PDB file of all heavy atoms in Angstrom:
ATOM      1  N   ARG A 127      19.216   5.721  -3.044  1.00 97.00           N
ATOM      2  CA  ARG A 127      19.069   4.356  -2.512  1.00 97.00           C
ATOM      3  C   ARG A 127      20.335   3.869  -1.820  1.00 97.00           C
ATOM      4  O   ARG A 127      20.281   2.967  -0.986  1.00 97.00           O
ATOM      5  CB  ARG A 127      18.668   3.388  -3.626  1.00 97.00           C
ATOM      6  CG  ARG A 127      19.776   3.093  -4.612  1.00 97.00           C
ATOM      7  CD  ARG A 127      19.302   2.184  -5.742  1.00 97.00           C
ATOM      8  NE  ARG A 127      18.764   0.929  -5.260  1.00 97.00           N
ATOM      9  CZ  ARG A 127      19.488  -0.138  -4.957  1.00 97.00           C
ATOM     10  NH1 ARG A 127      20.810  -0.086  -5.048  1.00 97.00           N
ATOM     11  NH2 ARG A 127      18.915  -1.251  -4.550  1.00 97.00           N
ATOM     12  N   ILE A 130      20.098   5.704   1.918  1.00 97.00           N
ATOM     13  CA  ILE A 130      18.940   5.585   2.800  1.00 97.00           C
ATOM     14  C   ILE A 130      19.239   4.550   3.887  1.00 97.00           C
ATOM     15  O   ILE A 130      19.784   3.472   3.613  1.00 97.00           O
ATOM     16  CB  ILE A 130      17.667   5.194   1.998  1.00 97.00           C
ATOM     17  CG1 ILE A 130      16.429   5.267   2.885  1.00 97.00           C
ATOM     18  CG2 ILE A 130      17.824   3.840   1.337  1.00 97.00           C
ATOM     19  CD1 ILE A 130      16.051   6.654   3.309  1.00 97.00           C
ATOM     20  N   LEU A 131      18.907   4.885   5.125  1.00 96.00           N
ATOM     21  CA  LEU A 131      19.104   3.975   6.252  1.00 96.00           C
ATOM     22  C   LEU A 131      17.805   3.341   6.718  1.00 96.00           C
ATOM     23  O   LEU A 131      17.798   2.200   7.182  1.00 96.00           O
ATOM     24  CB  LEU A 131      19.748   4.723   7.420  1.00 96.00           C
ATOM     25  CG  LEU A 131      21.151   5.285   7.184  1.00 96.00           C
ATOM     26  CD1 LEU A 131      21.624   6.048   8.418  1.00 96.00           C
ATOM     27  CD2 LEU A 131      22.132   4.177   6.838  1.00 96.00           C
ATOM     28  N   GLY A 132      16.710   4.082   6.621  1.00 95.00           N
ATOM     29  CA  GLY A 132      15.451   3.528   7.088  1.00 95.00           C
ATOM     30  C   GLY A 132      14.267   4.360   6.646  1.00 95.00           C
ATOM     31  O   GLY A 132      14.416   5.544   6.300  1.00 95.00           O
ATOM     32  N   VAL A 133      13.096   3.754   6.620  1.00 97.00           N
ATOM     33  CA  VAL A 133      11.870   4.451   6.246  1.00 97.00           C
ATOM     34  C   VAL A 133      10.729   3.986   7.140  1.00 97.00           C
ATOM     35  O   VAL A 133      10.753   2.883   7.694  1.00 97.00           O
ATOM     36  CB  VAL A 133      11.466   4.204   4.768  1.00 97.00           C
ATOM     37  CG1 VAL A 133      12.561   4.659   3.818  1.00 97.00           C
ATOM     38  CG2 VAL A 133      11.117   2.740   4.526  1.00 97.00           C
ATOM     39  N   SER A 145      11.162  -0.060   7.927  1.00 93.00           N
ATOM     40  CA  SER A 145      12.284  -0.847   7.439  1.00 93.00           C
ATOM     41  C   SER A 145      13.569  -0.100   7.762  1.00 93.00           C
ATOM     42  O   SER A 145      13.625   1.124   7.658  1.00 93.00           O
ATOM     43  CB  SER A 145      12.182  -1.070   5.922  1.00 93.00           C
ATOM     44  OG  SER A 145      13.329  -1.735   5.425  1.00 93.00           O
ATOM     45  N   GLY A 146      14.615  -0.838   8.157  1.00 88.00           N
ATOM     46  CA  GLY A 146      15.884  -0.199   8.479  1.00 88.00           C
ATOM     47  C   GLY A 146      15.822   0.519   9.806  1.00 88.00           C
ATOM     48  O   GLY A 146      14.999   0.216  10.670  1.00 88.00           O
ATOM     49  N   GLY A 147      16.717   1.488   9.973  1.00 81.00           N
ATOM     50  CA  GLY A 147      16.768   2.220  11.229  1.00 81.00           C
ATOM     51  C   GLY A 147      17.635   3.448  11.118  1.00 81.00           C
ATOM     52  O   GLY A 147      17.659   4.093  10.073  1.00 81.00           O
ATOM     53  N   VAL A 150      23.939   2.383  10.078  1.00 58.00           N
ATOM     54  CA  VAL A 150      24.210   1.818   8.758  1.00 58.00           C
ATOM     55  C   VAL A 150      23.903   0.334   8.705  1.00 58.00           C
ATOM     56  O   VAL A 150      23.266  -0.151   7.780  1.00 58.00           O
ATOM     57  CB  VAL A 150      25.684   2.081   8.372  1.00 58.00           C
ATOM     58  CG1 VAL A 150      26.017   1.384   7.058  1.00 58.00           C
ATOM     59  CG2 VAL A 150      25.936   3.584   8.264  1.00 58.00           C
ATOM     60  N   ASN A 152      21.757  -2.075  10.013  1.00 53.00           N
ATOM     61  CA  ASN A 152      20.567  -2.299  10.825  1.00 53.00           C
ATOM     62  C   ASN A 152      19.456  -2.929   9.993  1.00 53.00           C
ATOM     63  O   ASN A 152      18.292  -2.640  10.190  1.00 53.00           O
ATOM     64  CB  ASN A 152      20.081  -0.966  11.422  1.00 53.00           C
ATOM     65  CG  ASN A 152      19.046  -1.183  12.520  1.00 53.00           C
ATOM     66  OD1 ASN A 152      19.158  -2.086  13.309  1.00 53.00           O
ATOM     67  ND2 ASN A 152      18.019  -0.344  12.521  1.00 53.00           N
ATOM     68  N   VAL A 153      19.836  -3.771   9.036  1.00 53.00           N
ATOM     69  CA  VAL A 153      18.839  -4.365   8.157  1.00 53.00           C
ATOM     70  C   VAL A 153      18.938  -5.875   8.218  1.00 53.00           C
ATOM     71  O   VAL A 153      19.997  -6.449   8.020  1.00 53.00           O
ATOM     72  CB  VAL A 153      19.038  -3.896   6.701  1.00 53.00           C
ATOM     73  CG1 VAL A 153      18.036  -4.603   5.803  1.00 53.00           C
ATOM     74  CG2 VAL A 153      18.867  -2.385   6.593  1.00 53.00           C
ATOM     75  N   THR A 154      17.834  -6.533   8.538  1.00 57.00           N
ATOM     76  CA  THR A 154      17.733  -7.979   8.435  1.00 57.00           C
ATOM     77  C   THR A 154      16.553  -8.290   7.539  1.00 57.00           C
ATOM     78  O   THR A 154      15.573  -7.554   7.491  1.00 57.00           O
ATOM     79  CB  THR A 154      17.524  -8.621   9.817  1.00 57.00           C
ATOM     80  OG1 THR A 154      16.350  -8.060  10.419  1.00 57.00           O
ATOM     81  CG2 THR A 154      18.724  -8.373  10.720  1.00 57.00           C
ATOM     82  N   GLY A 155      16.646  -9.379   6.802  1.00 60.00           N
ATOM     83  CA  GLY A 155      15.570  -9.707   5.890  1.00 60.00           C
ATOM     84  C   GLY A 155      15.595  -8.801   4.674  1.00 60.00           C
ATOM     85  O   GLY A 155      16.648  -8.377   4.206  1.00 60.00           O
ATOM     86  N   TYR A 156      14.419  -8.495   4.139  1.00 71.00           N
ATOM     87  CA  TYR A 156      14.312  -7.670   2.942  1.00 71.00           C
ATOM     88  C   TYR A 156      14.545  -6.197   3.284  1.00 71.00           C
ATOM     89  O   TYR A 156      13.997  -5.674   4.246  1.00 71.00           O
ATOM     90  CB  TYR A 156      12.938  -7.831   2.289  1.00 71.00           C
ATOM     91  CG  TYR A 156      12.679  -9.215   1.754  1.00 71.00           C
ATOM     92  CD1 TYR A 156      11.768 -10.056   2.386  1.00 71.00           C
ATOM     93  CD2 TYR A 156      13.366  -9.680   0.640  1.00 71.00           C
ATOM     94  CE1 TYR A 156      11.536 -11.334   1.900  1.00 71.00           C
ATOM     95  CE2 TYR A 156      13.135 -10.956   0.144  1.00 71.00           C
ATOM     96  CZ  TYR A 156      12.216 -11.777   0.775  1.00 71.00           C
ATOM     97  OH  TYR A 156      11.995 -13.029   0.300  1.00 71.00           O
ATOM     98  N   ASP A 157      15.355  -5.536   2.472  1.00 85.00           N
ATOM     99  CA  ASP A 157      15.618  -4.117   2.680  1.00 85.00           C
ATOM    100  C   ASP A 157      14.558  -3.317   1.911  1.00 85.00           C
ATOM    101  O   ASP A 157      14.765  -2.906   0.767  1.00 85.00           O
ATOM    102  CB  ASP A 157      17.033  -3.767   2.187  1.00 85.00           C
ATOM    103  CG  ASP A 157      17.438  -2.353   2.590  1.00 85.00           C
ATOM    104  OD1 ASP A 157      16.578  -1.625   3.118  1.00 85.00           O
ATOM    105  OD2 ASP A 157      18.600  -1.986   2.369  1.00 85.00           O
ATOM    106  N   LEU A 158      13.426  -3.092   2.537  1.00 92.00           N
ATOM    107  CA  LEU A 158      12.318  -2.402   1.875  1.00 92.00           C
ATOM    108  C   LEU A 158      12.633  -0.938   1.629  1.00 92.00           C
ATOM    109  O   LEU A 158      12.001  -0.303   0.775  1.00 92.00           O
ATOM    110  CB  LEU A 158      11.046  -2.537   2.710  1.00 92.00           C
ATOM    111  CG  LEU A 158      10.546  -3.966   2.954  1.00 92.00           C
ATOM    112  CD1 LEU A 158       9.237  -3.936   3.732  1.00 92.00           C
ATOM    113  CD2 LEU A 158      10.372  -4.713   1.645  1.00 92.00           C
ATOM    114  N   SER A 159      13.585  -0.370   2.376  1.00 93.00           N
ATOM    115  CA  SER A 159      13.952   1.031   2.163  1.00 93.00           C
ATOM    116  C   SER A 159      14.424   1.239   0.732  1.00 93.00           C
ATOM    117  O   SER A 159      14.016   2.199   0.059  1.00 93.00           O
ATOM    118  CB  SER A 159      15.062   1.447   3.137  1.00 93.00           C
ATOM    119  OG  SER A 159      14.658   1.272   4.471  1.00 93.00           O
ATOM    120  N   LYS A 160      15.284   0.346   0.257  1.00 94.00           N
ATOM    121  CA  LYS A 160      15.790   0.467  -1.108  1.00 94.00           C
ATOM    122  C   LYS A 160      14.723   0.151  -2.138  1.00 94.00           C
ATOM    123  O   LYS A 160      14.748   0.662  -3.266  1.00 94.00           O
ATOM    124  CB  LYS A 160      17.019  -0.428  -1.298  1.00 94.00           C
ATOM    125  CG  LYS A 160      18.268   0.104  -0.602  1.00 94.00           C
ATOM    126  CD  LYS A 160      19.469  -0.786  -0.849  1.00 94.00           C
ATOM    127  CE  LYS A 160      20.766  -0.136  -0.354  1.00 94.00           C
ATOM    128  NZ  LYS A 160      20.729   0.249   1.058  1.00 94.00           N
ATOM    129  N   LEU A 161      13.769  -0.696  -1.782  1.00 94.00           N
ATOM    130  CA  LEU A 161      12.684  -1.008  -2.709  1.00 94.00           C
ATOM    131  C   LEU A 161      11.831   0.223  -3.006  1.00 94.00           C
ATOM    132  O   LEU A 161      11.251   0.343  -4.094  1.00 94.00           O
ATOM    133  CB  LEU A 161      11.814  -2.126  -2.131  1.00 94.00           C
ATOM    134  CG  LEU A 161      10.730  -2.694  -3.041  1.00 94.00           C
ATOM    135  CD1 LEU A 161      11.349  -3.316  -4.284  1.00 94.00           C
ATOM    136  CD2 LEU A 161       9.902  -3.720  -2.286  1.00 94.00           C
ATOM    137  N   MET A 162      11.755   1.143  -2.060  1.00 97.00           N
ATOM    138  CA  MET A 162      10.979   2.358  -2.279  1.00 97.00           C
ATOM    139  C   MET A 162      11.636   3.294  -3.296  1.00 97.00           C
ATOM    140  O   MET A 162      10.985   4.155  -3.880  1.00 97.00           O
ATOM    141  CB  MET A 162      10.797   3.116  -0.951  1.00 97.00           C
ATOM    142  CG  MET A 162       9.992   2.367   0.110  1.00 97.00           C
ATOM    143  SD  MET A 162       8.292   2.005  -0.405  1.00 97.00           S
ATOM    144  CE  MET A 162       8.432   0.223  -0.720  1.00 97.00           C
ATOM    145  N   ALA A 163      12.962   3.132  -3.508  1.00 97.00           N
ATOM    146  CA  ALA A 163      13.672   3.998  -4.449  1.00 97.00           C
ATOM    147  C   ALA A 163      13.185   3.735  -5.868  1.00 97.00           C
ATOM    148  O   ALA A 163      13.119   2.588  -6.318  1.00 97.00           O
ATOM    149  CB  ALA A 163      15.183   3.747  -4.349  1.00 97.00           C
TER     150      ALA A 163
END
Side-chain angles (χ1 to χ4, degrees):
R127 72 183 303 276
I130 188 68
L131 297 178
V133 301
S145 175
V150 175
N152 193 39
V153 176
T154 57
Y156 295 109
D157 189 353
L158 299 183
S159 301
K160 287 182 170 56
L161 187 61
M162 296 298 106

